[in-house]
Amino acid sequence: MPLVRGMPYVTVLFTSLTPVLKFAHAVLSVTGSGSQYQVSLNNGQVWLVYTSPSLSLTKSGDYVSAGDKFTGSIRVACVKGTEGDVDTLNLYSGRIPLGGSISAITSGKYKTTFVHL
Protein backbone atom coordinates (compact mmCIF):
# COMPACT_ATOMS: atom_id res chain seq x y z
CA MET A 1 0.00 0.00 0.00
CA PRO A 2 2.03 3.00 -1.23
CA LEU A 3 1.56 6.10 0.95
CA VAL A 4 2.72 9.52 -0.17
CA ARG A 5 2.15 12.66 1.87
CA GLY A 6 -0.46 14.87 0.25
CA MET A 7 -1.59 12.24 -2.24
CA PRO A 8 -5.37 12.42 -2.85
CA TYR A 9 -5.62 8.69 -3.58
CA VAL A 10 -5.58 5.69 -1.28
CA THR A 11 -3.89 2.94 -3.27
CA VAL A 12 -3.94 -0.78 -2.50
CA LEU A 13 -2.09 -3.43 -4.51
CA PHE A 14 -3.76 -6.85 -4.63
CA THR A 15 -2.34 -10.27 -5.50
CA SER A 16 -5.00 -12.93 -6.01
CA LEU A 17 -7.41 -11.51 -3.41
CA THR A 18 -11.10 -10.58 -3.58
CA PRO A 19 -11.39 -6.81 -2.98
CA VAL A 20 -13.98 -5.47 -0.53
CA LEU A 21 -14.18 -1.69 -0.07
CA LYS A 22 -15.73 -0.48 3.16
CA PHE A 23 -16.35 3.18 3.94
CA ALA A 24 -17.20 4.96 7.19
CA HIS A 25 -20.75 5.45 5.87
CA ALA A 26 -23.19 3.24 3.98
CA VAL A 27 -22.89 2.92 0.21
CA LEU A 28 -25.99 4.18 -1.63
CA SER A 29 -24.88 3.45 -5.19
CA VAL A 30 -22.02 2.27 -7.37
CA THR A 31 -21.96 3.48 -10.97
CA GLY A 32 -19.42 2.95 -13.73
CA SER A 33 -17.71 -0.03 -15.29
CA GLY A 34 -14.37 -1.38 -16.38
CA SER A 35 -11.67 0.55 -14.58
CA GLN A 36 -13.56 3.59 -13.22
CA TYR A 37 -16.44 3.77 -10.76
CA GLN A 38 -18.24 6.37 -8.67
CA VAL A 39 -19.43 5.46 -5.18
CA SER A 40 -22.05 7.63 -3.44
CA LEU A 41 -22.37 7.40 0.34
CA ASN A 42 -25.29 8.21 2.65
CA ASN A 43 -23.41 11.21 4.13
CA GLY A 44 -23.28 12.97 0.74
CA GLN A 45 -19.68 12.06 -0.09
CA VAL A 46 -18.73 10.87 -3.55
CA TRP A 47 -15.67 8.67 -4.05
CA LEU A 48 -13.99 7.73 -7.30
CA VAL A 49 -12.59 4.21 -7.62
CA TYR A 50 -9.97 3.32 -10.23
CA THR A 51 -8.85 -0.24 -10.97
CA SER A 52 -6.04 -1.59 -13.09
CA PRO A 53 -6.71 -3.88 -14.81
CA SER A 54 -10.47 -3.58 -15.25
CA LEU A 55 -12.62 -5.14 -12.55
CA SER A 56 -16.34 -5.61 -11.96
CA LEU A 57 -17.41 -3.85 -8.73
CA THR A 58 -20.91 -3.98 -7.25
CA LYS A 59 -22.77 -2.70 -4.20
CA SER A 60 -23.02 -5.45 -1.58
CA GLY A 61 -25.01 -4.22 1.39
CA ASP A 62 -23.21 -1.20 2.84
CA TYR A 63 -19.95 -1.81 0.98
CA VAL A 64 -18.48 -2.43 -2.49
CA SER A 65 -17.05 -5.77 -3.58
CA ALA A 66 -15.61 -7.65 -6.53
CA GLY A 67 -16.93 -11.05 -7.39
CA ASP A 68 -13.59 -12.68 -8.14
CA LYS A 69 -9.99 -12.74 -7.01
CA PHE A 70 -8.00 -9.84 -8.40
CA THR A 71 -4.37 -9.00 -9.07
CA GLY A 72 -3.71 -5.33 -9.70
CA SER A 73 -4.29 -1.93 -8.11
CA ILE A 74 -7.33 -0.17 -6.72
CA ARG A 75 -7.21 3.56 -6.02
CA VAL A 76 -9.91 5.58 -4.30
CA ALA A 77 -10.20 9.35 -3.97
CA CYS A 78 -12.86 11.54 -2.38
CA VAL A 79 -14.34 14.24 -4.60
CA LYS A 80 -14.06 17.41 -2.54
CA GLY A 81 -14.82 20.21 -4.95
CA THR A 82 -15.88 21.00 -8.46
CA GLU A 83 -16.09 18.95 -11.65
CA GLY A 84 -12.56 20.16 -12.46
CA ASP A 85 -11.34 18.16 -9.48
CA VAL A 86 -12.81 15.01 -11.04
CA ASP A 87 -11.00 15.78 -14.30
CA THR A 88 -7.69 16.14 -12.43
CA LEU A 89 -8.23 12.94 -10.44
CA ASN A 90 -9.06 11.09 -13.67
CA LEU A 91 -5.96 12.47 -15.38
CA TYR A 92 -3.52 11.19 -12.74
CA SER A 93 -5.36 8.06 -11.59
CA GLY A 94 -2.94 5.71 -13.34
CA ARG A 95 0.24 7.20 -11.90
CA ILE A 96 1.13 5.31 -8.74
CA PRO A 97 4.26 6.55 -6.96
CA LEU A 98 6.32 3.63 -5.72
CA GLY A 99 9.50 5.50 -4.84
CA GLY A 100 11.60 8.49 -5.65
CA SER A 101 14.58 10.53 -4.71
CA ILE A 102 15.44 14.13 -4.05
CA SER A 103 18.90 15.58 -4.20
CA ALA A 104 20.24 19.04 -3.48
CA ILE A 105 23.65 20.59 -4.00
CA THR A 106 24.92 23.72 -2.30
CA SER A 107 28.07 25.62 -3.20
CA GLY A 108 30.03 28.68 -2.18
CA LYS A 109 30.95 29.08 1.44
CA TYR A 110 28.80 26.08 2.35
CA LYS A 111 30.12 22.60 1.82
CA THR A 112 28.43 20.39 -0.75
CA THR A 113 25.40 18.61 0.65
CA PHE A 114 23.47 15.72 -0.86
CA VAL A 115 20.09 14.70 0.41
CA HIS A 116 18.55 11.42 -0.62
CA LEU A 117 15.11 10.28 0.51
Side-chain angles (χ1 to χ4, degrees):
M1 183 173 176
L3 293 176
V4 177
R5 184 178 181 162
M7 182 173 62
Y9 309 95
V10 173
T11 305
V12 179
L13 305 176
F14 291 85
T15 302
S16 194
L17 295 170
T18 303
V20 174
L21 307 177
K22 295 185 178 184
F23 298 85
H25 295 275
V27 173
L28 295 179
S29 66
V30 177
T31 57
S33 63
S35 61
Q36 186 173 341
Y37 294 85
Q38 181 173 303
V39 178
S40 298
L41 305 181
N42 69 350
N43 68 342
Q45 288 181 340
V46 174
W47 289 77
L48 299 177
V49 179
Y50 304 95
T51 70
S52 181
S54 295
L55 177 66
S56 179
L57 295 175
T58 58
K59 180 182 178 310
S60 299
D62 287 342
Y63 56 91
V64 177
S65 67
D68 297 318
K69 290 186 178 184
F70 174 72
T71 297
S73 66
I74 295 181
R75 304 188 89 189
V76 297
C78 186
V79 177
K80 293 278 192 178
T82 64
E83 189 65 30
D85 292 340
V86 171
D87 294 340
T88 301
L89 290 168
N90 289 343
L91 181 64
Y92 295 104
S93 65
R95 293 173 177 87
I96 301 172
L98 298 176
S101 64
I102 298 173
S103 58
I105 301 173
T106 60
S107 61
K109 66 179 181 177
Y110 304 100
K111 67 183 203 177
T112 301
T113 304
F114 293 95
V115 177
H116 182 73
L117 302 173

